[in-house]
Amino acid sequence: MTPPPYVPGHGLLAGRAVVITAAAGAGIGGATARRCLEEGARVLLSDAHERRLAATAAELEKEFGADRVDVLPCDVTSEDQVRALYGRAVERFGRIDVAVNNAGLGGTADLVDMTDEQWDRVLDITLTGTMRCTRAALRLMREQGSGVVVNNASVIGWRAQKGQSHYAAAKAGVMALTRCSALEAADFGVRVNAVSPSLAMHPHLVKVTSEELLEELTRREAFGRYAEPWEVANVIVFLASDYSSYMTGEIVSVSSQHA
């Protein structure tokens, strides 16, 4: 089944200042950056891969204007770099309305053969990195009395898959982090939610996943196809917008998997 037509923007984030991690390239982060710009936002792009980040930023600046696009490399395992990222957003835009925490690292290894280093690396980027970014955003949003955080989880935080103990544990942790921090942030008028995609195809996934596994995962989807990254980005935009004003602490599954 082919994907539906691309949905045009409707100004859902007009004038908002958005920070997006892991926003380089053609994955969910890059698609989210484009969608936010199409919806009228100003966007600070970040990624640990500086060359890809610069290329993505140059493309978006050409299309949407340099006044609406800013860029700063950031490794989410570094507290100093995370603080610098959010400081840059305030310096450039005066405030932060939306933080999209998309950075994560996968991989495949059976637990019996997994090293501490493999476990620690995935947890540090995927879970602790999300915590660092959420914490930095909430500290600024608390002062504003408003804001929205959208984290990127995964259906694998709910569903078992061989070779994914570290990634599944990290994504389940992102879900728990989202729910707990949402209750805290509600006290100062800030919402925290997460998306939980099943299978969104992008070049990095192809590099780290076997063709056989991708075919198997695709067969599990009710529509018989993977999601386009922009289809996940659409849900992120919804959660970032006023259309989801009563939602906090929710994990929204972006999936067509069979029950």
Side-chain angles (χ1 to χ4, degrees):
M1 184 178 293
T2 59
Y6 193 80
V7 181
H10 291 80
L12 299 184
L13 301 177
R16 308 284 175 90
V18 181
V19 179
I20 307 172
T21 60
I28 293 172
T32 301
R34 174 172 291 278
R35 287 266 48 173
C36 288
L37 287 162
E38 290 169 345
E39 295 292 348
R42 299 168 293 167
V43 176
L44 173 57
L45 309 171
S46 179
D47 203 289
H49 301 278
E50 295 189 31
R51 181 183 57 80
R52 292 193 321 194
L53 179 62
T56 299
E59 177 183 341
L60 293 175
E61 284 178 1
K62 183 178 180 180
E63 187 170 349
F64 296 98
D67 60 322
R68 292 180 56 203
V69 179
D70 196 11
V71 60
L72 185 69
C74 177
D75 180 347
V76 298
T77 68
S78 167
E79 174 65 10
D80 288 343
Q81 291 190 38
V82 169
R83 289 191 182 196
L85 174 65
Y86 286 91
R88 174 66 165 265
V90 172
E91 176 185 334
R92 176 67 189 272
F93 301 133
R95 59 183 292 110
I96 299 175
D97 297 299
V98 179
V100 179
N101 299 323
N102 177 63
L105 178 68
T108 301
D110 287 350
L111 187 60
V112 69
D113 299 317
M114 190 181 297
T115 65
D116 282 4
E117 289 74 17
Q118 286 175 300
W119 175 273
D120 290 343
R121 180 69 173 160
V122 169
L123 269 288
D124 194 19
I125 293 175
T126 307
L127 176 55
T128 308
T130 299
M131 181 279 295
R132 292 186 187 101
C133 291
T134 300
R135 181 175 61 191
L138 290 182
R139 285 172 174 171
L140 294 169
M141 290 174 178
R142 178 173 59 183
E143 296 179 11
Q144 298 173 174
S146 65
V148 182
V149 176
V150 184
N151 294 322
N152 192 356
S154 169
V155 294
I156 206 169
W158 289 314
R159 300 167 182 168
Q161 184 175 315
K162 289 181 179 180
Q164 296 296 308
S165 294
H166 46 1
Y167 189 65
K171 289 300 190 180
V174 169
M175 294 178 180
L177 168 69
T178 298
R179 290 190 290 264
C180 293
S181 61
L183 291 181
E184 298 168 4
D187 291 341
F188 45 88
V190 172
R191 301 188 295 111
V192 185
N193 292 293
V195 293
S196 180
S198 55
L199 182 64
M201 192 61 66
H202 53 86
H204 180 68
L205 182 63
V206 173
K207 292 179 182 178
V208 300
T209 309
S210 69
E211 183 176 344
E212 292 76 16
L213 179 56
L214 288 176
E215 289 178 354
E216 177 188 345
L217 294 174
T218 301
R219 283 195 300 270
R220 294 181 188 176
E221 300 293 322
F223 292 134
R225 67 172 180 86
Y226 48 78
E228 299 293 333
W230 62 263
E231 293 181 289
V232 180
N234 285 347
V235 182
I236 292 174
V237 165
F238 162 72
L239 291 174
S241 77
D242 292 340
Y243 278 104
S244 60
S245 59
Y246 194 65
M247 294 176 64
T248 198
E250 295 296 331
I251 317 298
V252 180
S253 179
V254 188
S255 168
S256 71
Q257 287 192 352
H258 294 287

